[in-house]
Amino acid sequence: MVLEAGREGSFLEEGFPACVEVEEAGRYPLGGTELGQGEDPEAEPMSTQDSKLPIHHLAGEKSLVGERGRGVGSKWLELLDSNNFQSEDGDIIDCVDIYKQPALDNPLLKNHTIQMIPNYVEGKTKESSSQFLQAQQLWKKSGTCPEGTVPIRRMLERDLLRSIPAQYPMEYHKKDPRSLVEFAYASIDWDWNKDQGPYESASASISVWNVHVAPNELSVSTVILMNHDDYIAAGWKISEQQYRDNRTRLSIYWTHDGAQKTGCFNLDCPAFVQIDKNIVLGGTIPPVSEYNSLQYYSDIELHQDKNAGDKWWLLYNGKVVGYWPRALFPDFRAATHVEWSGQILNTAAGGRHTNTQMGSGHFAQEGRGKAAVFSKMLVRDTKHTNWAPTWAKAEATKSACYNIGDVQKSNPDPGAYFFYGGPGIGPGCG
């Protein structure tokens, strides 16, 4: 069943009209190692039950199965006994028995009992007079998954060979001047203010855009929680090299050890336990915002439930998608660092700075309806007090390429907001 958190399905905002793989096999600019491919069996015929679009052109493709060579006992789940159909965006969606989902192949989750709803109860978000439009997922136009299943975007052998290693999200935190990652972000650390933290929850409504991304690069907007090497994130990304298109997609990520041996995106390794049958991790999320026109948002919340064994839950547009179990990172009891971050990967092809765009592709100073925005930013400390993080530091790697505005209090709505983004080209951007 669809699990509703205690939030409204539509959000309102004062003044406002929803990690990462890009390189081909053998080329890892961020210093990763090659992923194991395993032994893939010949593909079985795919069911066309409930299909609304033909999928015959995928005949002969191999569904990925076998050892991945990364992560915590990573193993691919063969999806040959699931119902499936093709979305308008070309994705194959498998409706997999909830008790046969990839996470349960993890040895750390042996005999794991799936929790179907978090124990905590959220209050409803205060509404203002401005309509807040939410981006949805395109696959829902082509079919639905039955009760007792979860939808999983099928990943083929060729998809894995196009990916870079899971170290990517950790790279920019090293502040290495050689890093290929550039960013504009607001962040808070418990060390800065011992009266407000550590944190059990972070959330934001992120304006969703579809922008230009150069080959072998990406653009990401995400909410991040960290405690040393423990790291979870959720937001949207564009990565043609990974998905064979430039569509804007929902993306999540985790690691326990700073991406040394653990970590992956979406359901690419057995980790995240999904319970919702209406959300596809890695799925496209149209409609997107238009410059000086309608603005669409994705609401992201990461929330720890200490009453359920310190699980870290993901909510997307007010719906409980699932959780990362404590067994993945037993010491991740609370977050000491929170970020709301726009990121791009700059490969500097041809010796020039990339023209990959961040956010909306426009600078923060263009403001409402033109620049991208993180709005309704909230954190909750371990005393269960909500804070609008107006003390967050706003920083950008190269302000001539991508920049960020001041973090300001939303009024009268709860939370804080900031504008960010840029075109990646222009005077002084090099």
Side-chain angles (χ1 to χ4, degrees):
M1 62 179 178
V2 178
L3 303 178
E4 296 288 346
R7 284 178 167 227
E8 297 291 346
S10 178
F11 291 85
L12 308 174
E13 176 69 21
E14 172 72 12
F16 298 113
C19 310
V20 180
E21 307 96 83
V22 297
E23 281 291 329
E24 64 193 50
R27 296 178 59 219
Y28 297 109
L30 303 184
T33 56
E34 185 169 337
L35 305 183
Q37 298 176 29
E39 295 182 3
D40 300 327
E42 291 298 322
E44 296 289 335
M46 290 181 290
S47 167
T48 56
Q49 181 179 356
D50 299 326
S51 294
K52 295 186 179 181
L53 292 174
I55 58 176
H56 62 273
H57 68 283
L58 290 172
E61 281 280 12
K62 293 180 180 179
S63 221
L64 204 53
V65 65
E67 294 301 322
R68 184 180 180 201
R70 280 194 59 81
V72 187
S74 299
K75 179 181 178 183
W76 286 96
L77 178 67
E78 192 167 6
L79 303 176
L80 300 180
D81 60 349
S82 64
N83 297 324
N84 59 68
F85 54 90
Q86 186 173 17
S87 171
E88 290 181 19
D89 53 22
D91 288 349
I92 300 298
I93 306 301
D94 288 287
C95 301
V96 179
D97 187 310
I98 192 171
Y99 296 105
K100 295 181 179 179
Q101 61 179 293
L104 301 185
D105 280 347
N106 192 323
L108 294 176
L109 302 183
K110 184 178 181 180
N111 301 322
H112 179 78
T113 300
I114 296 177
Q115 184 175 352
M116 296 304 295
I117 194 168
N119 292 336
Y120 68 87
V121 178
E122 288 284 353
K124 293 185 177 181
T125 301
K126 181 180 178 180
E127 296 184 354
S128 70
S129 59
S130 300
Q131 183 61 46
F132 191 76
L133 302 175
Q134 286 185 335
Q136 305 300 320
Q137 288 202 306
L138 185 61
W139 72 277
K140 293 284 289 180
K141 294 183 178 180
S142 302
T144 58
C145 285
E147 296 293 337
T149 68
V150 292
I152 298 178
R153 177 185 178 273
R154 181 174 297 183
M155 192 172 186
L156 304 175
E157 182 181 31
R158 61 181 176 176
D159 296 322
L160 182 61
L161 297 178
R162 297 163 70 92
S163 65
I164 67 170
Q167 285 95 329
Y168 154 72
M170 301 300 294
E171 284 292 316
Y172 77 92
H173 283 285
K174 299 175 182 178
K175 305 298 188 292
D176 187 337
R178 298 170 297 175
S179 174
L180 303 179
V181 183
E182 298 180 15
F183 52 89
Y185 72 96
S187 67
I188 58 174
D189 278 288
W190 181 36
D191 290 342
W192 301 344
N193 191 334
K194 293 293 186 179
D195 293 331
Q196 298 173 346
Y199 311 102
E200 65 179 14
S201 174
S203 61
S205 295
I206 313 173
S207 61
V208 179
W209 298 82
N210 186 258
V211 294
H212 171 75
V213 175
N216 300 331
E217 298 184 349
L218 63 117
S219 186
V220 182
S221 293
T222 189
V223 178
I224 301 166
L225 291 179
M226 294 182 66
N227 188 332
H228 299 291
D229 288 337
D230 290 318
Y231 178 114
I232 57 175
W236 62 259
K237 75 173 180 181
I238 303 170
S239 175
E240 186 275 336
Q241 192 72 4
Q242 171 65 16
Y243 294 107
R244 303 184 303 280
D245 62 36
N246 273 318
R247 295 179 183 270
T248 308
R249 294 175 177 269
L250 175 64
S251 179
I252 67 171
Y253 178 81
W254 77 281
T255 182
H256 168 53
D257 58 3
Q260 296 303 306
K261 294 182 179 180
T262 67
C264 68
F265 304 93
N266 303 325
L267 302 180
D268 292 359
C269 68
F272 186 84
V273 177
Q274 184 159 343
I275 61 175
D276 188 85
K277 74 182 187 71
N278 292 296
I279 302 296
V280 170
L281 297 173
T284 56
I285 47 175
V288 296
S289 302
E290 297 182 7
Y291 185 81
N292 205 26
S293 185
L294 289 177
Q295 304 291 291
Y296 289 88
Y297 296 75
S298 279
D299 186 73
I300 298 291
E301 181 176 342
L302 301 171
H303 193 117
Q304 185 181 44
D305 189 355
K306 291 186 176 297
N307 295 323
D310 289 347
K311 295 180 177 73
W312 285 98
W313 291 83
L314 167 68
L315 283 74
Y316 176 69
N317 287 347
K319 295 182 178 179
V320 181
V321 181
Y323 57 89
W324 291 275
R326 178 183 174 183
L328 298 175
F329 18 51
D331 299 325
F332 195 5
R333 304 298 178 86
T336 56
H337 178 87
V338 183
E339 279 188 27
W340 299 264
S341 182
Q343 307 164 28
I344 65 94
L345 184 67
N346 173 27
T347 62
R352 299 178 180 176
H353 191 278
T354 183
N355 62 353
T356 287
Q357 298 175 328
M358 179 191 294
S360 69
H362 294 265
F363 288 115
Q365 58 267 31
E366 294 195 40
R368 177 168 55 92
K370 300 175 182 178
V373 64
F374 279 82
S375 62
K376 292 188 180 295
M377 297 160 54
L378 288 170
V379 291
R380 175 178 291 188
D381 63 26
T382 52
K383 297 178 182 178
H384 314 305
T385 302
N386 288 323
W387 300 90
T390 52
W391 69 94
K393 293 183 180 179
E395 302 180 73
T397 304
K398 293 183 179 179
S399 59
C401 306
Y402 316 99
N403 68 0
I404 182 171
D406 294 334
V407 179
Q408 303 181 57
K409 178 70 173 66
S410 300
N411 190 19
D413 296 321
Y417 72 92
F418 67 86
F419 297 104
Y420 71 103
I425 55 175
C429 180

